[in-house]
Amino acid sequence: MPVKNRLAELHHEITEWRRDLHEHPEILFETHRTAAVVAEKLESFGCDEIVTGIGRTGVVGVIKGKTDTKGMVVGLRADMDALPILEATGLPYASKTEGAMHACGHDGHTAMLLGAAKYLAETRNFDGTVVVIFQPAEEGGGGGREMCADGMMDRWNIQEVYGMHNWPGVPAGSFAIRPGAFFAATDQFKIVVEGRGGHAAKPHETIDPVVTSAQIITALQSIASRNADPVEQIVVSVTSVESSSTAFNVIPQRVTLKGTVRTMSRHNRDLAEDRLSKIADLTAAAMGAKAEVNYYRGYPVMVNHEEQTAFAAEVATSVSGACAEAPLVMGGEDFAYMLEERPGAYILVGNGDTAMVHHPEYNFNDEAIPAGCSWWAEIVERRMPAA
């Protein structure tokens, strides 16, 4: 079953929806206009139920099949939020909101799920219920966690859930997926190194937090190289070094380090947090300084379920002719929270030869729309075949 004819017919219309969303990006939970557009379209499609305000600004639409003999409910999720990036595409439909941009393709995800919803509401050629989920605040706000905390899964008795993300660098409309751990846990840390400031010409009268911080930065790399199993993935990156002084001749009183930790397992996540704290504390003590460590856990590891992943790959192959094995991704994805509550799978759809996501020149490739819409629609029709 290749791209569905009806969705090919809707390609232009869905593209117009996508470009309208691209012009009006909204960040985190401030997706008020986007949510209103989504709810309005779901109503026009004839959805059986539409609820707004789930997870603060999320939208849920319910579409019932022609029959419901088994009580099966499948959830399909798209993210709606943009990024705080100044767009540099020069497109005629470029962002009209200064400092905000759909630089990760969530406009495309939303438009594709709307296209699938329109098709499913028209045809209803399935036995059960589909719940379309439009989520805010994927980009760091944990909107998926908030929607789950609002009881979404139990309220609609969602039994399986499926998500999708575009992926630049591979042919538009092609697919890739992998079972098990897929996207990394994303943690952050801040280390404040307190020393004793003074004149740079008299370092012996100080406890230099800059030198101490340099030792800590170097030592933190031993977490990946000497503490973690070499065949497992772990990244510890110090991304910011800030001093309490900006003068050339002053040794500062304190230095603040900030960074991120990415892991693919609970074990390594716990290991990294424990080792980071001890390395910072004891290295500072050895230099006569003190270190205050704050460790912030972000999104958990996103884990695809085996059975649902195999099914999602089968559907992708039916749509595009093949489904590749996706690489491990050290970026984060808060669809992880939904996969912790229900079995399901997350797939990548090719975006073609475009700038990478989170780049000011990125743009979602509208040529991927028919394949993405067809995958979602086919997930429903194959998982809940008409009675």
Side-chain angles (χ1 to χ4, degrees):
M1 176 70 194
V3 166
K4 294 181 180 295
N5 291 336
R6 177 57 176 148
L7 290 167
E9 293 171 2
L10 290 169
H11 188 183
H12 177 74
E13 183 178 0
I14 298 168
T15 297
E16 291 302 308
W17 301 345
R18 201 281 293 183
R19 296 183 179 186
D20 172 72
L21 294 173
H22 190 91
E23 281 191 82
H24 302 93
E26 296 173 302
I27 294 171
L28 292 173
F29 290 100
E30 300 303 314
T31 52
H32 302 292
R33 179 190 184 274
T34 306
V37 168
V38 166
E40 180 182 357
K41 291 197 180 302
L42 293 177
E43 184 176 6
S44 72
F45 301 161
C47 287
D48 299 283
E49 182 183 2
I50 303 160
V51 179
T52 60
I54 303 296
R56 294 164 63 175
T57 48
V59 181
V60 168
V62 177
I63 305 168
K64 297 180 180 179
K66 289 179 180 177
T67 56
D68 186 11
T69 63
K70 300 177 182 177
M72 182 72 175
V73 183
V74 169
L76 310 176
R77 172 270 201 177
D79 36 20
M80 301 187 293
D81 59 317
L83 284 157
I85 292 177
L86 183 65
E87 183 163 352
T89 63
L91 292 165
Y93 53 86
S95 171
K96 293 180 178 178
T97 304
E98 186 77 10
M101 176 193 175
H102 270 295
C104 202
H106 296 185
D107 50 342
H109 305 163
T110 297
M112 288 191 294
L113 187 52
L114 283 172
K118 181 177 176 68
Y119 166 84
L120 291 167
E122 287 177 352
T123 58
R124 300 182 184 261
N125 189 33
F126 55 95
D127 180 46
T129 301
V130 59
V131 176
V132 288
I133 303 162
F134 296 88
Q135 180 207 304
E138 190 282 323
E139 298 289 357
R145 178 187 61 234
E146 296 301 307
M147 293 190 84
C148 289
D150 261 0
M152 176 182 69
M153 295 297 185
D154 290 336
R155 179 171 176 176
W156 285 283
N157 191 31
I158 297 170
Q159 293 156 37
E160 294 183 354
V161 64
Y162 296 86
M164 182 193 308
H165 203 291
N166 75 94
W167 204 247
V170 296
S174 62
F175 292 93
I177 198 170
R178 67 180 301 120
F182 192 174
F183 279 61
T186 59
D187 299 336
Q188 298 175 339
F189 62 86
K190 181 171 75 172
I191 303 170
V192 179
V193 180
E194 190 80 19
R196 184 171 66 240
H199 200 294
K202 298 182 178 182
H204 60 290
E205 296 180 358
T206 73
I207 298 174
D208 192 339
V210 177
V211 174
T212 302
S213 295
Q215 297 293 327
I216 292 172
I217 292 169
T218 300
L220 289 178
Q221 299 313 303
S222 68
I223 297 174
S225 67
R226 288 298 176 267
N227 298 139
D229 188 325
V231 301
E232 296 181 1
Q233 293 74 28
I234 183 168
V235 176
V236 181
S237 294
V238 178
T239 57
S240 173
V241 181
E242 301 173 356
S243 166
S244 60
S245 171
T246 58
F248 288 96
N249 60 347
V250 174
I251 291 175
Q253 182 72 15
R254 72 187 59 85
V255 170
T256 301
L257 309 177
K258 297 177 182 178
T260 186
V261 175
R262 306 298 173 103
T263 52
M264 281 290 183
S265 70
R266 291 181 180 177
H267 169 75
N268 273 350
R269 196 180 197 187
D270 293 339
L271 169 71
E273 181 176 1
D274 177 69
R275 294 299 300 144
L276 184 143
S277 180
K278 288 177 179 175
I279 287 170
D281 182 52
L282 296 175
T283 303
M287 303 291 288
K290 294 180 180 179
E292 178 187 334
V293 179
N294 290 285
Y295 196 94
Y296 312 97
R297 291 210 168 193
Y299 297 166
V301 180
M302 191 193 74
V303 180
N304 269 348
H305 296 252
E306 293 278 347
E307 178 189 345
Q308 287 72 25
T309 299
F311 169 66
E314 177 187 322
V315 171
T317 300
S318 74
V319 171
S320 68
C323 185
E325 181 178 355
L328 289 167
V329 180
M330 298 311 288
E333 170 54 64
D334 85 336
F335 189 61
Y337 293 110
M338 297 189 188
L339 290 178
E340 285 186 336
E341 293 218 356
R342 295 293 189 273
Y346 192 75
I347 200 166
L348 303 179
V349 61
N351 202 58
D353 186 17
T354 66
M356 186 49 72
V357 293
H358 292 221
H359 190 281
E361 294 182 356
Y362 166 86
N363 184 40
F364 180 83
N365 188 344
D366 294 317
E367 293 306 308
I369 287 174
C373 292
S374 295
W375 181 80
W376 261 318
E378 191 71 1
I379 283 285
V380 173
E381 291 182 345
R382 286 199 179 207
R383 205 57 166 170
M384 301 183 291

